[in-house]
Amino acid sequence: MLDRSPRFDQLPAMPGIGYKPQHFADIMEDARPVTWLEIHAENYMGDGGRPLAQLRALSERFPISVHGVGLSIGGAGALDTEHLARLKHLCGWLQPASFSEHLAWSTHGAEFLNDLLPLPYTDATLARVAAHIDQVQDTLGRKMLLENPSSYLAFAESTWEETEFLAELTRRTGCGLLLDINNVFISATNLGTSPQAYIDAYPLDAVGEIHLGGHDEDEDSEGRPLLIDSHGREIADPVWALLDYTLARCGAKPVLVEWDTDVPDWPVLAAEACRAATALDRIAAAQ
Amino acid sequence: MTDQTEFRAALLDARQPVPDGLLDGHGGGAGKRFSVYRNNVAVSLTEALQTGFPVLRKLLGLGNFDQLAGLYLRAHPPASPLMMHYGAQMPAFLEGFAPLQHIGYLPDIARLELAIRASYHAADADPMDAAKLAAIPAETLSTARLQFAPALKLVRSPWPLFDIWRFNSEAGAPKPQAVPQPVLITRPEFDPIPAPLTLAEAECLAALLEGVRLDHALAAATGPLDLTDLLSRLVRGQAITDIQT
């Protein structure tokens, strides 16, 4: 397929949703209040069939955000150039409004571990991740957004705060950021820090997209709360409050609702998107 | 210093100690918190196998399948971020798995489920016009070679593979008959459709897929078969893309 010029060259500062194939008919009939969609890149790297046909149809109507979950940008080894070539092919024919990936690693040698694994925030990690982001942006010929992780533990060897680490990456590479507010709340709860202080220290000018999602509640061996990033339920109230806190500081942004396991029927997702729309309307009214 | 090799080793083997240098953020070591990652990896890979092998799961029972998945995912972690391909070594893994060797058809069921998945994701292709095929004179047709859609898959088996698959995926399907039953998979639009073949039909189709002339493919079959019927099933399945006469 030939590359085409982009139909939508940016995500609107409105609610979007993580696309699931079971919602195709609902979305084509009436997606309101959802105005854009996000896909996981790796699910659209087959050769053909229904996934690509649906994506082609959706991309005619909606701005699409391509969200990679398998590039292992924080991996100790070199980036998988075959996988990078697949991303280039997908972004080439689809011309998405945005491309994003994670501050994490998921590949070790030839193995893909199918999880977003944590990184120590050191000068060595910074140099490696910056080099990988440069390689991605050079290969794709576009700016990427990098997402903050949800943390269950910390590294003794870390010498950077996560917010400073992300800010330095934007300075070195010119990349933008995907601010996952659920991840901020999870990490702050798990590590005993303040989520508002994280937002205050975060480089909000670089934010191109915001993520929201549900989490599960567990506890660690000391009986302290341990939140798990499950994307399997409604967004928690303190996460909605943290969205308001963030939007008041950075203004309206594209806000995505993620729901990846135990996926509900469309009206449940649309209701979550309505809540995001209300938060965005409040900011617009206040400014 | 916690390197990724050490982290990975502890991730897939709960007997390995949690790597040093991991903290809980409250002044202690990470301890049980490391299990979140162990759990995420094992659960996500098990779920991928559950989705990819629904009939195998039904045949083994949910608990047994999850145990098998736990062994498989440690022996064969994904080799690529394309989870749509995960599980490719399952047939060979089952063949070498002593506790299940008394159920001889399990590897072929795994092959069939992999083939259905491969058909689903295969490249789109324009089928040949049925009228064009019908217009070819018999003597020309007999020396022709066919080209097939990538979504066409053939799973050869000495077991009643189609019946076993259908009995475990459709409510009210008849009990399997004790006859060899290779499976043809076509994808007329987006949904792969498995259908039974005779041994002779599978032998002939295997030869056609290798690019052999129709008359030679017919001769490759060790038993009688109705070629017109086989070809019309392939046409209905939009599986023939071109013919070279």
Side-chain angles (χ1 to χ4, degrees):
Chain A
M1 200 175 307
L2 291 174
D3 291 1
R4 61 175 190 192
S5 56
R7 176 178 288 256
F8 303 103
D9 60 5
Q10 61 178 8
L11 301 177
M14 292 200 272
I17 209 121
Y19 173 66
K20 298 292 168 210
Q22 57 266 48
H23 300 136
F24 181 77
D26 292 303
I27 288 171
M28 292 302 266
E29 187 184 319
D30 181 3
R32 288 176 298 176
V34 170
T35 59
W36 59 278
L37 304 169
E38 185 159 281
I39 57 152
H40 286 177
E42 286 71 15
N43 292 340
Y44 297 88
M45 290 181 174
D47 295 325
R50 179 178 283 120
L52 296 185
Q54 286 190 344
L55 182 54
R56 278 193 296 273
L58 292 167
S59 71
E60 295 296 320
R61 299 252 301 261
F62 300 93
I64 305 285
S65 162
V66 171
H67 189 52
V69 296
L71 193 54
S72 197
I73 278 184
L79 288 184
D80 177 348
T81 51
E82 271 182 51
H83 195 58
L84 201 47
R86 289 191 284 260
L87 281 171
K88 183 181 161 94
H89 175 71
L90 177 61
C91 289
W93 73 258
L94 183 62
Q95 291 293 324
S98 176
F99 171 72
S100 53
E101 252 284 356
H102 298 84
L103 179 60
W105 63 283
S106 53
T107 295
H108 181 261
E111 286 172 11
F112 175 68
L113 296 160
N114 203 32
D115 192 26
L116 299 166
L117 299 165
L119 292 165
Y121 299 135
T122 63
D123 290 349
T125 309
L126 186 66
R128 189 174 73 234
V129 172
H132 286 168
I133 292 172
D134 284 342
Q135 189 184 352
V136 173
Q137 295 188 138
D138 287 350
T139 304
L140 300 185
R142 60 160 64 229
K143 173 175 159 173
M144 65 165 284
L145 307 180
L146 189 70
E147 178 177 343
N148 54 297
S150 49
S151 298
Y152 308 112
L153 46 76
F155 288 79
E157 64 188 293
S158 286
T159 53
W160 290 75
E161 291 294 328
E162 186 172 287
T163 47
E164 279 304 308
F165 191 89
L166 289 165
E168 181 62 17
L169 282 171
T170 66
R171 282 190 286 272
R172 287 197 191 182
T173 68
C175 76
L177 298 175
L178 194 172
L179 173 56
D180 189 315
I181 288 182
N182 183 48
N183 289 357
V184 171
F185 185 75
I186 288 171
S187 299
T189 304
N190 291 346
L191 300 177
T193 58
S194 157
Q196 289 80 17
Y198 184 100
I199 299 298
D200 292 343
Y202 187 93
L204 292 170
D205 289 348
V207 173
E209 179 183 343
I210 286 174
H211 270 186
L212 301 171
H215 57 251
D216 291 343
E217 295 179 14
D218 198 352
E219 50 185 45
D220 73 2
S221 45
E222 306 296 319
R224 286 180 297 241
L226 183 62
L227 304 184
I228 313 287
D229 187 25
S230 62
H231 296 180
R233 60 175 67 223
E234 277 92 354
I235 296 153
D237 285 341
V239 174
W240 287 113
L242 194 58
L243 173 69
D244 291 337
Y245 184 88
T246 306
L247 292 179
R249 280 153 186 77
C250 67
K253 298 282 181 188
V255 175
L256 183 90
V257 173
E258 294 185 292
W259 198 318
D260 295 317
T261 58
D262 297 325
V263 177
D265 289 341
W266 176 253
V268 177
L269 281 182
E272 292 283 272
C274 278
R275 209 167 159 183
T278 304
L280 286 164
D281 288 346
R282 268 199 303 273
I283 290 305
Q287 285 175 342
Chain B
M1 179 69 188
T2 311
D3 74 16
Q4 292 180 359
T5 301
E6 191 187 354
F7 199 102
R8 179 264 169 229
L11 206 53
L12 287 182
D13 184 354
R15 294 165 306 183
Q16 298 278 337
V18 172
D20 289 336
L22 301 178
L23 308 174
D24 66 358
H26 301 270
K32 179 192 163 188
R33 288 162 173 251
F34 190 78
S35 313
V36 176
Y37 297 105
R38 279 181 173 147
N39 195 52
N40 281 351
V41 171
V43 168
S44 72
L45 295 181
T46 299
E47 285 174 353
L49 294 169
Q50 289 169 350
T51 305
F53 298 101
V55 171
L56 189 60
R57 189 175 179 220
K58 188 161 182 213
L59 284 165
L60 291 177
L62 306 191
N64 289 337
F65 181 88
D66 285 358
Q67 279 190 33
L68 180 80
L71 296 170
Y72 180 85
L73 69 91
R74 284 168 178 86
H76 300 285
S80 137
L82 271 59
M83 292 301 292
M84 66 180 74
H85 299 318
Y86 186 48
Q89 287 89 12
M90 185 61 87
F93 184 78
L94 286 166
E95 275 166 5
F97 190 62
L100 290 175
Q101 290 205 328
H102 61 289
I103 317 178
Y105 52 79
L106 290 180
D108 280 356
I109 286 290
R111 272 184 203 100
L112 174 55
E113 297 204 283
L114 286 169
I116 291 170
R117 222 189 315 162
S119 175
Y120 182 77
H121 290 289
D124 304 325
D126 292 328
M128 193 179 149
D129 184 13
K132 187 179 162 194
L133 184 66
I136 297 170
E139 62 275 18
T140 313
L141 189 62
S142 77
T143 58
R145 297 168 207 271
L146 300 176
Q147 285 187 348
F148 296 100
L152 169 70
K153 305 291 173 193
L154 168 65
V155 184
R156 305 181 74 175
S157 176
W159 301 95
L161 189 61
F162 177 79
D163 278 359
I164 296 170
W165 175 83
R166 186 170 58 166
F167 187 69
N168 290 283
S169 41
E170 284 173 18
K175 284 199 164 182
Q177 310 275 318
V179 290
Q181 216 175 34
V183 179
L184 164 72
I185 301 166
T186 55
R187 196 187 83 194
E189 195 186 14
F190 294 133
D191 292 309
I193 301 177
L197 292 177
T198 64
L199 275 182
E201 286 168 340
E203 288 159 349
C204 178
L205 180 58
L208 290 173
L209 284 165
E210 285 168 18
V212 168
R213 281 167 39 167
L214 261 171
D215 52 351
H216 294 173
L218 203 51
T222 54
L225 74 118
D226 182 343
L227 184 64
T228 309
D229 177 60
L230 178 60
L231 290 181
S232 66
R233 279 147 69 195
L234 292 170
V235 168
R236 280 201 303 277
Q238 307 214 354
I240 300 176
T241 55
D242 201 4
I243 184 161
Q244 281 146 6
T245 52

